Amino acid sequence: MRNEKLLEEIRDANLNYLLLSQTMIREDRDAAVYRLGISEGLADLLNTLSPAQLLKMAGSSTLLCRFRYDHRLILNLLNGHGKGRPMVQTHAAIVGAGLPVEALS
């Protein structure tokens, strides 16, 4: 039973991520590519998926999204508290923009 609950939560997370990705791509493609950390080709693919295809992908037992930043500096900046928070987020975005985009081969 516990495994079923975990798979259901993965499916929900996948579906939310895919729907959010499509919405972002359709509203502002360039910003979506940057914010999602995906390639142009993957953005094109996500944009063309039908609702049935989204549901099929979401049903995978593998989590489709992952932390974009596994870089300790950026995670620490994003997690920072206190004064200068807007500037810290800007700094994290600048550092992140210099990192390579992940692409599926």
Side-chain angles (χ1 to χ4, degrees), residues 67-101:
F67 282 107
R68 177 175 177 196
Y69 301 123
D70 56 1
H71 192 276
R72 175 169 253 184
L73 171 64
I74 296 172
L75 290 175
N76 285 337
L77 287 170
L78 292 172
N79 190 31
H81 299 287
K83 291 183 180 179
R85 180 124 172 94
M87 193 52 120
V88 170
Q89 290 180 336
T90 302
H91 185 225
I94 291 168
V95 173
L99 297 176
V101 169

Side-chain angles (χ1 to χ4, degrees), residues 39 42 102-105:
S39 68
L42 186 53
E102 293 293 323
L104 296 176
S105 302

